[in-house]
Amino acid sequence: MEFLKPATWSDALAAKAAQPDAVPLCGGTDVMVDLNFDRARPAALLDLTRLGELAEWTPAEGYLRVGAAVTYHRIITELGARLPGLAMAARTVGSPQIRNRGTVGGNLGAASPAGDAHPPLLTDDTLVEAHSVRGVRRIPITDFYTGVKRNALAPDELIAAFLMPAATGPQQFAKIGTRNAMVIAVTTFAVALHPERGRVGTGFGSAAPTPRRAEAAERFLGQELSATGRWETRADLAPGTAARFGELVAAAASPIDDVRGTAAYRRHALSVIARRTLDWAWTEYRRSGTPITRMTRSAR
Protein backbone atom coordinates (compact mmCIF):
# COMPACT_ATOMS: atom_id res chain seq x y z
CA MET A 1 0.00 0.00 0.00
CA GLU A 2 1.37 3.39 -1.00
CA PHE A 3 1.23 6.24 1.53
CA LEU A 4 0.92 9.75 0.06
CA LYS A 5 1.53 12.76 2.31
CA PRO A 6 1.01 16.01 0.37
CA ALA A 7 2.26 19.24 1.92
CA THR A 8 -0.30 21.50 0.19
CA TRP A 9 -3.91 21.28 -0.96
CA SER A 10 -2.85 21.65 -4.59
CA ASP A 11 -0.46 18.73 -4.12
CA ALA A 12 -3.30 16.68 -2.63
CA LEU A 13 -5.56 17.40 -5.61
CA ALA A 14 -2.77 16.51 -8.01
CA ALA A 15 -2.17 13.26 -6.16
CA LYS A 16 -5.86 12.40 -6.26
CA ALA A 17 -5.98 13.13 -9.98
CA ALA A 18 -2.97 10.89 -10.57
CA GLN A 19 -4.32 8.11 -8.32
CA PRO A 20 -8.12 8.32 -8.21
CA ASP A 21 -8.32 5.13 -6.12
CA ALA A 22 -6.28 6.70 -3.29
CA VAL A 23 -8.39 6.81 -0.11
CA PRO A 24 -8.31 10.14 1.80
CA LEU A 25 -7.13 9.87 5.41
CA CYS A 26 -7.75 12.64 7.93
CA GLY A 27 -9.48 11.67 11.19
CA GLY A 28 -9.16 8.00 10.29
CA THR A 29 -12.05 6.87 12.50
CA ASP A 30 -13.65 4.98 9.61
CA VAL A 31 -10.67 4.23 7.39
CA MET A 32 -8.48 2.74 10.12
CA VAL A 33 -11.28 0.49 11.36
CA ASP A 34 -11.73 -0.92 7.86
CA LEU A 35 -7.99 -1.45 7.55
CA ASN A 36 -7.69 -3.10 10.97
CA PHE A 37 -10.49 -5.54 10.21
CA ASP A 38 -9.19 -6.15 6.69
CA ARG A 39 -12.44 -4.92 5.16
CA ALA A 40 -10.52 -2.63 2.82
CA ARG A 41 -7.05 -2.70 1.33
CA PRO A 42 -6.71 0.39 -0.90
CA ALA A 43 -3.81 0.77 -3.27
CA ALA A 44 -2.90 4.09 -1.65
CA LEU A 45 -3.77 6.28 1.33
CA LEU A 46 -3.84 10.04 0.85
CA ASP A 47 -2.93 11.68 4.17
CA LEU A 48 -4.57 15.12 4.53
CA THR A 49 -3.64 15.77 8.18
CA ARG A 50 -0.98 18.38 7.37
CA LEU A 51 -3.38 20.66 5.48
CA GLY A 52 -4.37 23.33 7.96
CA GLU A 53 -6.90 25.03 5.69
CA LEU A 54 -9.16 21.98 5.95
CA ALA A 55 -9.43 22.56 9.70
CA GLU A 56 -10.78 26.12 9.42
CA TRP A 57 -14.34 27.47 9.44
CA THR A 58 -15.59 30.91 8.49
CA PRO A 59 -18.80 32.74 7.47
CA ALA A 60 -19.13 32.78 3.69
CA GLU A 61 -21.90 34.01 1.39
CA GLY A 62 -24.67 33.63 3.97
CA TYR A 63 -23.42 30.22 5.09
CA LEU A 64 -20.92 28.85 7.54
CA ARG A 65 -18.15 27.24 5.53
CA VAL A 66 -16.78 24.42 7.66
CA GLY A 67 -13.57 22.70 6.55
CA ALA A 68 -13.64 18.97 6.02
CA ALA A 69 -11.13 18.42 8.84
CA VAL A 70 -13.02 20.34 11.55
CA THR A 71 -13.60 17.73 14.25
CA TYR A 72 -16.83 16.81 15.99
CA HIS A 73 -15.41 18.23 19.21
CA ARG A 74 -14.94 21.62 17.54
CA ILE A 75 -18.42 21.46 16.01
CA ILE A 76 -19.73 21.12 19.59
CA THR A 77 -17.53 23.74 21.27
CA GLU A 78 -17.14 26.35 18.53
CA LEU A 79 -20.28 26.02 16.41
CA GLY A 80 -22.85 24.65 18.86
CA ALA A 81 -24.80 27.91 19.06
CA ARG A 82 -24.85 28.42 15.28
CA LEU A 83 -25.41 24.81 14.18
CA PRO A 84 -27.19 23.33 17.20
CA GLY A 85 -28.69 20.31 15.42
CA LEU A 86 -25.32 19.27 14.05
CA ALA A 87 -23.73 19.80 17.46
CA MET A 88 -26.37 17.57 19.07
CA ALA A 89 -25.57 14.85 16.56
CA ALA A 90 -21.84 15.32 17.12
CA ARG A 91 -22.31 14.67 20.84
CA THR A 92 -23.64 11.19 20.05
CA VAL A 93 -20.60 10.18 17.99
CA GLY A 94 -18.41 7.56 19.62
CA SER A 95 -16.18 8.44 22.57
CA PRO A 96 -14.37 11.70 23.38
CA GLN A 97 -11.30 10.30 21.62
CA ILE A 98 -13.30 9.68 18.44
CA ARG A 99 -14.95 13.11 18.62
CA ASN A 100 -11.47 14.64 18.90
CA ARG A 101 -10.41 12.94 15.65
CA GLY A 102 -13.55 12.28 13.61
CA THR A 103 -14.95 14.84 11.18
CA VAL A 104 -18.14 15.64 9.31
CA GLY A 105 -16.04 15.59 6.16
CA GLY A 106 -15.19 11.97 6.86
CA ASN A 107 -18.84 11.16 7.49
CA LEU A 108 -19.70 12.68 4.12
CA GLY A 109 -16.93 10.79 2.35
CA ALA A 110 -18.03 7.45 3.84
CA ALA A 111 -21.69 8.23 3.01
CA SER A 112 -22.94 5.52 5.36
CA PRO A 113 -26.72 5.66 5.85
CA ALA A 114 -25.98 5.32 9.58
CA GLY A 115 -23.69 8.37 9.75
CA ASP A 116 -24.83 10.63 12.59
CA ALA A 117 -23.96 13.92 10.87
CA HIS A 118 -26.14 13.38 7.81
CA PRO A 119 -29.66 14.06 9.18
CA PRO A 120 -28.86 17.58 10.50
CA LEU A 121 -27.13 18.46 7.22
CA LEU A 122 -30.32 17.53 5.36
CA THR A 123 -32.50 19.90 7.38
CA ASP A 124 -31.31 22.97 5.46
CA ASP A 125 -29.75 23.95 2.15
CA THR A 126 -26.34 22.47 2.91
CA LEU A 127 -23.76 22.30 0.14
CA VAL A 128 -20.78 19.97 -0.13
CA GLU A 129 -17.77 21.73 -1.62
CA ALA A 130 -15.74 19.35 -3.80
CA HIS A 131 -12.36 20.30 -5.28
CA SER A 132 -10.28 18.77 -8.04
CA VAL A 133 -7.57 19.92 -10.41
CA ARG A 134 -10.46 20.74 -12.76
CA GLY A 135 -12.01 23.26 -10.38
CA VAL A 136 -14.57 23.60 -7.60
CA ARG A 137 -18.20 22.55 -7.49
CA ARG A 138 -20.82 22.77 -4.77
CA ILE A 139 -23.14 19.80 -4.54
CA PRO A 140 -26.56 20.22 -2.85
CA ILE A 141 -26.76 17.82 0.06
CA THR A 142 -29.92 16.22 -1.34
CA ASP A 143 -27.94 15.24 -4.46
CA PHE A 144 -24.84 14.08 -2.63
CA TYR A 145 -25.94 10.62 -1.46
CA THR A 146 -26.30 8.26 -4.40
CA GLY A 147 -26.50 4.81 -2.77
CA VAL A 148 -25.35 2.70 0.14
CA LYS A 149 -21.96 4.17 1.05
CA ARG A 150 -21.82 5.96 -2.29
CA ASN A 151 -21.71 9.67 -3.01
CA ALA A 152 -21.64 12.07 -5.92
CA LEU A 153 -17.89 12.78 -5.84
CA ALA A 154 -15.98 12.21 -9.05
CA PRO A 155 -12.97 9.89 -8.73
CA ASP A 156 -10.54 12.83 -8.76
CA GLU A 157 -12.44 15.00 -6.26
CA LEU A 158 -11.83 15.63 -2.57
CA ILE A 159 -14.20 17.22 -0.05
CA ALA A 160 -12.82 20.58 1.02
CA ALA A 161 -15.73 21.78 3.17
CA PHE A 162 -19.44 21.85 3.67
CA LEU A 163 -21.53 25.01 3.73
CA MET A 164 -24.55 25.22 6.01
CA PRO A 165 -26.71 28.21 7.00
CA ALA A 166 -26.60 29.19 10.65
CA ALA A 167 -29.76 28.24 12.51
CA THR A 168 -32.63 30.74 12.42
CA GLY A 169 -34.90 28.66 14.65
CA PRO A 170 -34.80 25.67 16.98
CA GLN A 171 -33.15 22.45 15.87
CA GLN A 172 -33.29 18.99 17.44
CA PHE A 173 -31.70 15.59 16.92
CA ALA A 174 -32.49 12.15 18.34
CA LYS A 175 -30.75 8.81 18.01
CA ILE A 176 -31.96 5.30 18.81
CA GLY A 177 -29.27 2.74 19.62
CA THR A 178 -28.79 -0.48 21.49
CA ARG A 179 -27.02 1.42 24.28
CA ASN A 180 -26.38 5.04 25.26
CA ALA A 181 -22.89 5.51 23.86
CA MET A 182 -20.36 4.13 21.35
CA VAL A 183 -23.10 2.70 19.17
CA ILE A 184 -24.10 2.62 15.51
CA ALA A 185 -27.59 4.04 15.19
CA VAL A 186 -30.66 1.89 14.76
CA THR A 187 -32.19 5.09 13.41
CA THR A 188 -31.73 8.84 13.75
CA PHE A 189 -33.86 11.90 13.09
CA ALA A 190 -33.25 15.64 12.89
CA VAL A 191 -35.71 18.52 12.59
CA ALA A 192 -35.13 22.24 12.09
CA LEU A 193 -37.66 25.07 12.17
CA HIS A 194 -37.11 27.88 9.68
CA PRO A 195 -39.74 30.44 10.75
CA GLU A 196 -38.40 33.23 8.51
CA ARG A 197 -39.23 31.02 5.51
CA GLY A 198 -42.27 29.28 6.97
CA ARG A 199 -40.46 26.00 6.39
CA VAL A 200 -39.56 22.86 8.31
CA GLY A 201 -36.48 20.78 7.52
CA THR A 202 -36.01 17.09 8.30
CA GLY A 203 -33.42 14.37 7.88
CA PHE A 204 -33.16 10.76 8.99
CA GLY A 205 -30.62 7.98 8.86
CA SER A 206 -30.33 4.20 9.18
CA ALA A 207 -33.79 3.73 7.68
CA ALA A 208 -33.16 3.83 3.92
CA PRO A 209 -30.30 3.06 1.53
CA THR A 210 -29.15 6.67 1.93
CA PRO A 211 -29.72 9.45 4.45
CA ARG A 212 -33.01 11.02 3.44
CA ARG A 213 -35.45 13.88 4.02
CA ALA A 214 -39.10 13.31 4.87
CA GLU A 215 -40.42 15.78 2.32
CA ALA A 216 -44.14 15.05 2.74
CA ALA A 217 -43.78 15.59 6.48
CA GLU A 218 -41.97 18.88 5.87
CA ARG A 219 -44.71 20.14 3.54
CA PHE A 220 -47.50 19.05 5.86
CA LEU A 221 -46.07 20.76 8.91
CA GLY A 222 -44.98 23.93 7.14
CA GLN A 223 -48.41 24.35 5.57
CA GLU A 224 -50.18 23.53 8.83
CA LEU A 225 -48.21 26.12 10.79
CA SER A 226 -48.75 28.76 8.10
CA ALA A 227 -52.46 28.07 7.57
CA THR A 228 -53.23 28.26 11.30
CA GLY A 229 -51.03 31.31 11.93
CA ARG A 230 -48.91 29.45 14.44
CA TRP A 231 -45.62 30.75 13.10
CA GLU A 232 -46.80 34.15 14.33
CA THR A 233 -48.88 33.22 17.39
CA ARG A 234 -46.62 30.41 18.63
CA ALA A 235 -49.69 28.65 19.99
CA ASP A 236 -49.64 24.99 20.97
CA LEU A 237 -49.64 22.59 18.06
CA ALA A 238 -53.10 21.51 16.99
CA PRO A 239 -54.24 18.08 18.25
CA GLY A 240 -52.94 15.35 16.01
CA THR A 241 -50.31 17.50 14.27
CA ALA A 242 -47.30 15.84 15.87
CA ALA A 243 -48.79 12.37 15.37
CA ARG A 244 -49.43 13.02 11.68
CA PHE A 245 -45.93 14.43 11.29
CA GLY A 246 -44.52 11.24 12.81
CA GLU A 247 -46.61 9.06 10.49
CA LEU A 248 -45.35 10.92 7.43
CA VAL A 249 -41.74 10.64 8.57
CA ALA A 250 -42.12 6.88 9.04
CA ALA A 251 -43.76 6.60 5.62
CA ALA A 252 -40.71 8.21 4.00
CA ALA A 253 -38.44 5.43 5.27
CA SER A 254 -37.53 2.23 3.49
CA PRO A 255 -35.60 0.33 6.17
CA ILE A 256 -34.30 -3.23 6.27
CA ASP A 257 -34.05 -5.93 8.91
CA ASP A 258 -30.52 -6.35 10.26
CA VAL A 259 -28.68 -7.23 13.46
CA ARG A 260 -29.46 -3.83 15.00
CA GLY A 261 -33.22 -3.85 14.43
CA THR A 262 -36.12 -4.83 12.23
CA ALA A 263 -37.64 -2.67 9.54
CA ALA A 264 -40.90 -2.47 11.51
CA TYR A 265 -39.08 -1.32 14.62
CA ARG A 266 -37.18 1.33 12.69
CA ARG A 267 -40.39 2.76 11.24
CA HIS A 268 -42.02 2.81 14.67
CA ALA A 269 -38.95 4.39 16.27
CA LEU A 270 -38.80 7.06 13.58
CA SER A 271 -42.41 8.04 14.17
CA VAL A 272 -41.78 8.31 17.91
CA ILE A 273 -38.59 10.38 17.73
CA ALA A 274 -40.09 12.59 15.01
CA ARG A 275 -42.97 13.45 17.34
CA ARG A 276 -40.65 14.01 20.28
CA THR A 277 -38.13 16.19 18.46
CA LEU A 278 -40.95 18.27 17.00
CA ASP A 279 -42.40 18.77 20.48
CA TRP A 280 -39.00 19.81 21.82
CA ALA A 281 -38.34 22.19 18.92
CA TRP A 282 -41.80 23.76 19.08
CA THR A 283 -41.56 24.23 22.86
CA GLU A 284 -38.24 26.00 22.36
CA TYR A 285 -39.73 28.15 19.60
CA ARG A 286 -42.70 29.17 21.75
CA ARG A 287 -40.39 30.16 24.60
CA SER A 288 -37.91 32.09 22.47
CA GLY A 289 -40.29 34.87 21.44
CA THR A 290 -37.84 36.03 18.74
CA PRO A 291 -39.63 38.19 16.15
CA ILE A 292 -39.95 36.60 12.71
CA THR A 293 -38.16 38.34 9.85
CA ARG A 294 -39.38 36.88 6.58
CA MET A 295 -36.63 36.27 4.06
CA THR A 296 -35.80 34.22 1.00
CA ARG A 297 -32.74 32.15 0.16
CA SER A 298 -31.43 34.92 -2.12
CA ALA A 299 -31.40 37.29 0.86
CA ARG A 300 -28.81 35.19 2.69
Side-chain angles (χ1 to χ4, degrees):
M1 182 187 303
E2 191 173 1
F3 189 76
L4 309 174
K5 197 173 180 68
T8 67
W9 183 234
S10 60
D11 288 344
L13 296 178
K16 185 63 169 167
Q19 292 188 250
D21 57 349
V23 173
L25 176 66
C26 195
T29 57
D30 283 327
V31 173
M32 295 309 297
V33 171
D34 285 343
L35 291 177
N36 288 340
F37 284 92
D38 206 25
R39 292 197 294 255
R41 196 60 63 191
L45 289 176
L46 181 59
D47 183 7
L48 304 178
T49 57
R50 297 171 63 187
L51 308 181
E53 61 264 46
L54 296 184
E56 298 172 355
W57 65 267
T58 185
E61 305 168 39
Y63 293 82
L64 292 170
R65 184 184 183 276
V66 183
V70 174
T71 64
Y72 292 115
H73 173 73
R74 292 181 58 206
I75 295 287
I76 297 165
T77 58
E78 299 174 27
L79 291 167
R82 304 188 195 197
L83 302 174
L86 186 59
M88 290 176 193
R91 291 187 184 97
T92 74
V93 174
S95 63
Q97 295 92 332
I98 291 173
R99 293 192 290 274
N100 282 331
R101 291 288 301 173
T103 66
V104 175
N107 230 197
L108 286 165
S112 167
D116 295 321
H118 305 309
L121 297 177
L122 284 162
T123 63
D124 208 344
D125 299 326
T126 302
L127 303 171
V128 180
E129 187 174 293
H131 290 205
S132 71
V133 293
R134 297 174 290 108
V136 177
R137 65 180 181 129
R138 290 178 173 176
I139 308 166
I141 193 67
T142 50
D143 298 334
F144 184 75
Y145 310 108
T146 60
V148 179
K149 296 187 177 182
R150 298 200 307 272
N151 60 47
L153 293 176
D156 64 339
E157 287 182 320
L158 293 171
I159 298 172
F162 67 92
L163 293 89
M164 188 175 187
T168 56
Q171 300 181 352
Q172 288 290 335
F173 174 84
K175 177 177 178 177
I176 299 290
T178 53
R179 57 183 181 177
N180 288 333
M182 300 282 289
V183 65
I184 298 173
V186 175
T187 193
T188 53
F189 182 74
V191 64
L193 303 182
H194 306 295
E196 81 291 350
R197 286 177 270 160
R199 180 180 166 239
V200 176
T202 64
F204 63 83
S206 276
T210 65
R212 186 181 289 180
R213 288 170 53 196
E215 296 183 64
E218 294 175 359
R219 290 192 298 271
F220 159 75
L221 185 57
Q223 292 167 2
E224 167 72 13
L225 296 175
S226 295
T228 61
R230 279 176 166 79
W231 286 120
E232 290 74 24
T233 65
R234 302 173 193 259
D236 285 339
L237 294 175
T241 296
R244 180 58 180 158
F245 179 72
E247 291 171 357
L248 290 170
V249 169
S254 53
I256 60 170
D257 297 335
D258 64 15
V259 295
R260 286 177 284 126
T262 65
Y265 177 74
R266 284 186 163 95
R267 285 195 180 91
H268 171 71
L270 264 179
S271 69
V272 172
I273 60 177
R275 295 197 306 268
R276 289 178 179 175
T277 53
L278 173 58
D279 284 339
W280 298 336
W282 192 252
T283 297
E284 182 183 346
Y285 179 63
R286 294 190 67 215
R287 291 173 177 171
S288 70
T290 305
I292 299 172
T293 302
R294 295 292 181 186
M295 61 184 292
T296 63
R297 166 56 57 201
S298 61
R300 281 193 179 276

